[in-house]
Amino acid sequence: MEKLIYLDNAATTRTAPEVVEAMLPYFTEKYGNPSSVYGFASANKEVITQQREKIAEVLGAKTDEIYFTAGGTESDNWALTATAEAYVSKGKHIITSRIEHHAILHTCEYLEKRGYEVTYLDVDENGLVDPNAVEAAIRPDTILISIMFANNEIGTIQPIREIGTIAREHGVLFHTDAVQAFAQVPINVDEYNIDMLSASGHKLNGPKGIGFLYIRKGVKIRSFIHGGAQERKRRAGTENVPGIVGLGKAVELAAATMAERAEKETKLRDYMIGRIENEIPYCRLNGDRKKRLPNNINFSFRFIEGEGMLISLDLKGICASSGSACTSGSLDPSHVLLAIGLPHEIAHGSLRMTLGADTTREDIDYTVDCLKEIVADIRNMSPLYEDFLKKQRK
Amino acid sequence: MYTEKVMDHFQHPRNVGEIENASGVGTVGNAKCGDIMRIYLDIDENQIIRDVKFKTFGCGAAIATSSMATELVKGKNIQEAMQVTNKAVMEALDGLPPVKVHCSLLAEEAIHAALWDYAEKNGIKIEGLEKPKSDIHEGEEEEEEEY
């Protein structure tokens, strides 16, 4: 295989070989339905509980507060719609931010069409939500606050502890989309006053199609999928046993290596940010410099459009992503980059690189070397750069 | 996602650059939508396009269509250049993904805008040529409503 430098770990990650190995017996050998009575199958029920325990332990939660889902998007949909339904007698107001994942934002739009009111909080130039703004937005009819733990594009980590405390003081439920943060940074649901938390397996070297929603005991929440008695009747359907086993293994591995990984990735991240800032002119780091996921790097390069960068990087064997419109099929660039105040043309020139456990310093050096050339080449073709240089000369 | 021809023109764009004292210059698109094309034409006294250069801010398809459009008009007279439609550019590139068709429209617009500038400077009228739109995206269909 040709050289492949995978810097898109926020999109998905490589399933760890240990995870695949743990899953395999549950396809061809231990394939029984956990709801069946005979021992061959019902042993799988115990296996599922063990995975739930592992996850609960990492979050400081109770075992039966973990509900398996098909992934982060489902967890987000569930948390919002089912809370909205269950708490409608209290009110129809939800607070969230402008930089949430579409799994949250589009679910909010769906609820708005059904008579709910949503407050979308602004963020500052680094993508941070102001806890005071959260408090100010709370009304007597507010039923839910949903703020992501860390942003998927710019990596900004929100003041979740402060927001959780405010939510608790006001008796409002607090949900956090922790798809990017879970098992990357320490999270304790009691310390942070989190009532619900979404996470996904494939962002932490686990399999795709599996995730979970943490729901604090006592939270009234409606069943999301109706059918059998699985997941305490709240999310029916025969359990994805291999997926759950894979997720459990991935969480176990990620939790054990979290501190070490974070230290290594933070060093590489800051090294890469430093090199780009020193060697490529007219760039801007997007997201907070310190309150940032250890593996996230997001830059805007002025005068150029992101898709060209991605194709050129791909030709060099480097996988990255961009918030440009051209990569999404719409005319508007990323809502996150617009929310932090970037003008459209600068948002179009964004590049996200997200490191993984396997990323090396050589990978970073090679990528920055390629990127320098690519940015210079594309700028040479840009009429915006031409105009800029002419203005400079005047 | 892109054809070999598109990739070739993206990786090795033809006619990138500027022409000083060009006979006609046209800039279309806007940075807000993520693409701007600028075409420079050097037209001789027989109305033959002697040279053409481009600068483009945009995606891979935008760069490839600009490059192909310049190749298609080079050496042609201005009437022939008017025949270089977005369809012709797309065909020459062996097609574009549906979401990128607007890039080829932009290329056609850019050529027309440069020809318009040339016609204005020289006080002539080019048959079939209309004043360029200020924004290529005007009048495009609304995004599909979900739910």
Side-chain angles (χ1 to χ4, degrees), chain A residues 105-107 109-110 113-114 302-305 307-309 311-312 315 325-327 329-333 344-346 348-349 378-384 386-387 390, chain B residues 1-2 7 10-11 13 16-18 27 30-38 40 54-63 99-100 102-103 137 140 143 145-147:
Chain A
L105 291 179
H106 287 170
T107 307
E109 282 169 30
Y110 168 89
K113 286 185 178 158
R114 277 149 188 83
R302 281 177 69 191
F303 319 116
I304 63 178
E305 205 277 340
E307 195 213 61
M309 265 190 286
I311 301 173
S312 300
L315 291 164
C326 268
T327 58
S330 81
L331 291 179
D332 284 323
H344 275 67
E345 65 268 29
I346 294 178
H348 282 300
I378 300 180
R379 275 188 182 151
N380 277 332
M381 283 192 260
S382 169
L384 296 176
E386 177 187 317
D387 293 347
K390 278 181 187 156
Chain B
M1 156 170 139
Y2 289 134
M7 286 302 287
F10 170 71
Q11 282 179 265
V16 175
E18 298 160 52
T27 304
N30 70 50
K32 202 175 171 228
C33 298
D35 28 35
I36 298 177
M37 278 184 203
R38 180 175 295 161
Y40 295 86
F54 84 88
K55 285 270 174 104
T56 289
F57 165 82
C59 61
I63 288 164
V99 293
K100 303 290 186 183
H102 74 276
C103 294
H137 296 299
E140 248 184 42
E143 224 180 299
E145 184 72 358
E146 290 165 70
Y147 318 116

Side-chain angles (χ1 to χ4, degrees), chain A residues 185-238:
Chain A
V185 294
I187 303 176
N188 182 294
V189 289
D190 284 342
E191 237 176 81
Y192 289 17
N193 287 317
I194 294 166
D195 296 309
M196 284 175 280
L197 177 145
S198 306
S200 171
H202 73 108
K203 308 288 190 189
L204 42 119
N205 303 100
K208 293 168 182 66
I210 188 79
F212 68 87
L213 178 64
Y214 156 79
I215 308 173
R216 182 179 290 281
K217 225 176 206 159
V219 171
K220 273 196 294 177
I221 194 162
R222 295 285 169 95
S223 301
F224 188 59
I225 307 236
H226 309 284
Q230 294 89 354
E231 303 301 295
R232 308 179 71 216
K233 291 191 196 162
R234 283 172 162 183
R235 201 274 190 185
T238 299

Side-chain angles (χ1 to χ4, degrees), chain B residues 101-118:
Chain B
V101 172
H102 74 276
C103 294
S104 63
L105 280 166
L106 206 59
E108 179 188 316
E109 286 284 326
I111 301 272
H112 286 187
L115 286 171
W116 180 267
D117 183 44
Y118 164 75

